[in-house]
Amino acid sequence: MDEDLNKLKEEKNLVTIKREAIDGHKLQGFVLAHSKELILIQYVYDFNLDGLMVLRLSDVSSIESSKTDLFQTQIFKDEGLYSRIDFSKEYDVTNWYTVLSTIGKEYGFFIIEDEDPEYPIFLLGELRVIGEDSVSMLGFSGAANWDDEYSEMSYEDISSFQVGNNYSNMYKRYFERNALTKPSI
């Protein structure tokens, strides 16, 4: 798969990713980086560039750049969106620790998920502690209420990490405008 990912990254075309064991839905994005464990994409949703997404490669059942993906890449170019993708930036996606230490710190607010179909976990918040085996964050609810304690997730449980997406950016702007007090934990 490493050789295929190198080729997809080099071609800079939209790709479709399937993760059949986790989700019946396909994901689309542009490959920005990968390692033996993880893949980083510029996530695309309904022709919108929707932040960066890191996925576990062990969950990926297939990744391809189909005729539809190639056509949609051209649409991105024609609409002026393609030029907003920074293909030249270097990312360290060796493992979750390096992702959180670099990309996580750069963006502040992020989403991490354990997409286990039986016991899914969705956490949205700010980075607090990057440990050797886990990450701690101060989360908040959909009603913008800060949690009373940190949430922690083991790296082995993380299946998805997202930053700079519309969802977390909207909350970030809301918190900045309203200066809501975080708990002192």
Side-chain angles (χ1 to χ4, degrees):
M1 181 176 274
D2 195 48
E3 195 172 298
D4 293 337
L5 289 172
N6 284 335
K7 183 178 181 206
L8 291 169
K9 181 180 183 290
E10 186 178 298
E11 291 174 348
K12 300 178 184 171
N13 290 317
L14 194 61
V15 299
T16 297
I17 299 171
K18 294 180 188 173
R19 301 178 305 151
E20 292 171 356
I22 287 181
D23 189 356
H25 298 94
K26 300 173 188 175
L27 298 171
Q28 279 189 301
F30 293 91
V31 178
L32 300 178
H34 66 89
S35 67
K36 292 180 182 181
E37 294 180 26
L38 305 171
I39 181 171
L40 168 67
I41 60 172
Q42 167 62 66
Y43 180 52
V44 171
Y45 184 78
D46 288 343
F47 290 102
N48 289 301
L49 299 176
D50 198 17
L52 302 178
M53 180 182 285
V54 181
L55 304 167
R56 274 190 314 219
L57 273 175
S58 61
D59 296 325
V60 173
S61 50
S62 71
I63 183 169
E64 68 172 347
S65 191
S66 67
K67 289 181 181 180
T68 300
D69 294 316
L70 296 174
F71 174 72
Q72 290 178 355
T73 299
Q74 188 58 51
I75 290 174
F76 271 91
K77 290 176 180 179
D78 293 346
E79 293 295 319
L81 296 169
Y82 189 82
S83 62
R84 293 179 31 205
I85 304 166
D86 190 354
F87 289 104
S88 65
K89 186 169 181 176
E90 295 290 325
Y91 297 95
D92 187 349
V93 296
T94 304
N95 53 43
W96 289 119
Y97 178 85
T98 62
V99 166
L100 291 158
S101 297
T102 56
I103 302 170
K105 282 187 175 180
E106 179 182 343
Y107 282 85
F109 278 36
F110 63 91
I111 297 169
I112 54 173
E113 293 182 82
D114 175 351
E115 298 168 285
D116 180 324
E118 291 187 37
Y119 304 103
I121 298 171
F122 176 93
L123 298 174
L124 171 64
E126 283 186 326
L127 182 64
R128 285 296 180 245
V129 179
I130 304 167
E132 195 172 306
D133 300 314
S134 64
V135 61
S136 295
M137 63 189 292
L138 181 58
F140 54 85
S141 70
N145 296 312
W146 288 100
D147 294 343
D148 293 331
E149 56 188 47
Y150 293 157
S151 298
E152 184 174 349
M153 189 178 290
S154 170
Y155 296 146
E156 67 184 29
D157 295 330
I158 300 173
S159 60
S160 172
F161 167 85
Q162 296 176 63
V163 292
N165 59 0
N166 294 330
Y167 193 81
S168 59
N169 285 345
M170 189 65 69
Y171 276 106
K172 184 176 182 179
R173 286 192 301 272
Y174 175 79
F175 283 123
E176 288 169 352
R177 277 194 316 269
N178 295 290
L180 298 176
T181 307
K182 296 176 194 163
S184 57
I185 50 176

